[in-house]
Amino acid sequence: MKTIRITAPGKIETIETEKPELKPGHVLLKVGYVGFCGSDLNTFRGLNPLVKLPVVPGHEIGAVIEERAADVPSHLRKGMNATVNPYTSCGNCPSCRNSRPNACEFNQTLGVQRDGAMSEYIVIPWEKVIAGEKISVRDFALVEPLSVGFHAVHRAEVSDIDTVVVMGCGMIGSGAIIRAAIRGAKVIAVDVDDRKLALAKRLGAEYTINSVSENLHERIRDITGGSGADVIIEAVGRPETYIASVSEVAFTGRVVYIGYAKEKVSFDTSLFVKKEADIRGSRNAMPCDFKAVMEYIERGACPVDELITAVYLPEEAQTALERWSEKPGDVFRILIRF
């Protein structure tokens, strides 16, 4: 079967591997689409410290159940479209004991700490398979990245009385915009790309700010009547946006960080204390977040075609990542179709 593997920085290849064998308690999935995410791009660039090369990338999965072991529950049936919860949890670390396995200390995400899903077939423990009747195989590949943004909104405890600023309107930030709008919040989308901001409007943002052409501080103060935002969700991972999040949040507001800053960040820590701000991290997603994304897609409200920049064949994976690396701002989501 065809398998995509990143072998060295800037080098990706399509190889032939053996079809995996079905094991007790597992499901054999025929992979249809797998998304390239930011962690895959960083692996390709040699900037992902969590990855040991060579590695099979991919954890944003759209597949069909090909076969299930005899001991797998009957609700997972052959022919059903499905995606995968790509994270592991040990069950014993503080996160797991606190019922937050998405943040397991020893998590191994598909395509990052272990080989991922960019193969024609994969075998997955049945507990990690999430199937549905109303979502296409292609659209299932969008569920996991959107669920990460949904989870950040859950971490921020967003309600209908909140004004929420989402910094960064990529795939993860878009998930946060959608979920915050569904919860009834007033959403302000911030990005440097007018095309992404236009899409953010269609996803539920009431206001947009281009932080290059507009004054971020003045616009947020104007929209919020001088108070600042109740919630700021950072989905960029840049020192500038990390610092701006603390500066622009209201007194007693909540800041949730999703993005990883690749450089050290220097804060004016007096703002943490003066504002009595809640500073929170958000990692991966919970099963309830996957479910919420699926219900949103099933309603037909999601402009799924606009979330997909391009679809490539496995043999074109090198070209796909080279183009993304050259112009990262032009890419929303790239899918590989098997």
Side-chain angles (χ1 to χ4, degrees), residues 24-286:
H26 285 63
V27 173
L28 175 67
L29 296 177
K30 181 176 176 57
V31 176
Y33 294 83
V34 184
F36 272 129
C37 75
S39 63
D40 299 321
L41 179 61
N42 284 329
T43 299
F44 181 74
R45 288 172 156 179
L47 301 175
N48 193 337
L50 300 177
V51 172
K52 183 178 179 181
L53 298 177
V55 68
V56 177
H59 57 259
E60 302 174 358
I61 303 161
V64 177
I65 296 176
E66 180 85 359
E67 191 177 352
R68 62 185 183 91
D71 57 346
V72 170
S74 60
H75 73 274
L76 295 174
R77 302 183 302 277
K78 182 177 180 178
M80 293 182 74
N81 294 347
T83 189
V84 173
N85 183 327
Y87 326 119
T88 64
S89 53
C90 70
N92 295 313
C93 73
S95 298
C96 290
R97 293 198 302 269
N98 287 331
S99 299
R100 288 160 67 178
N102 59 295
C104 175
E105 182 178 356
F106 306 104
N107 167 65
Q108 292 191 328
T109 299
L110 284 171
V112 184
Q113 294 93 345
R114 56 186 173 133
D115 279 342
M118 284 203 175
S119 296
E120 290 184 77
Y121 294 91
I122 55 174
V123 170
I124 298 291
W126 73 263
E127 296 92 342
K128 296 295 184 179
V129 178
I130 304 169
E133 304 281 4
K134 301 178 182 178
I135 299 177
S136 70
V137 174
R138 187 199 69 170
D139 293 352
F140 254 127
L142 305 177
V143 170
E144 190 276 342
L146 288 174
S147 73
V148 176
F150 272 47
H151 183 66
V153 173
H154 172 75
R155 288 283 294 139
E157 301 178 90
V158 170
S159 75
D160 58 349
I161 63 171
D162 288 321
T163 296
V164 178
V165 169
V166 178
M167 300 264 194
C169 298
M171 194 68 165
I172 307 302
S174 293
I177 290 166
I178 292 165
R179 190 56 168 161
I182 289 173
R183 290 194 175 192
K186 179 191 296 183
V187 182
I188 305 169
V190 179
D191 204 282
V192 299
D193 188 326
D194 286 332
R195 293 169 298 176
K196 290 181 179 178
L197 291 172
L199 178 56
K201 274 267 193 181
R202 294 193 289 278
L203 295 175
E206 188 172 342
Y207 299 92
T208 60
I209 302 174
N210 186 316
S211 56
V212 170
S213 59
E214 301 176 83
N215 186 298
L216 178 67
H217 175 74
E218 290 180 1
R219 287 280 284 127
I220 290 177
R221 292 288 157 171
D222 180 57
I223 294 168
T224 62
S227 298
D230 302 294
V231 173
I232 295 193
I233 296 175
E234 199 281 346
V236 179
R238 292 286 305 163
E240 305 95 300
T241 48
Y242 257 67
I243 293 168
S245 297
V246 175
S247 298
E248 303 305 333
V249 75
F251 275 64
T252 68
R254 289 99 70 199
V255 175
V256 174
Y257 290 113
I258 313 173
Y260 286 90
K262 307 301 186 295
E263 308 160 50
K264 290 185 177 180
V265 182
S266 297
F267 287 103
D268 177 1
T269 54
S270 68
L271 294 177
F272 294 13
V273 179
K274 289 177 181 177
K275 292 186 174 183
E276 199 176 45
D278 288 336
I279 311 295
R280 305 175 185 179
S282 182
R283 184 183 181 191
N284 300 330
M286 293 282 282

Side-chain angles (χ1 to χ4, degrees), residues 302-314:
C302 181
V304 287
D305 291 340
E306 296 185 61
L307 301 180
I308 300 169
T309 304
V311 178
Y312 292 88
L313 296 174

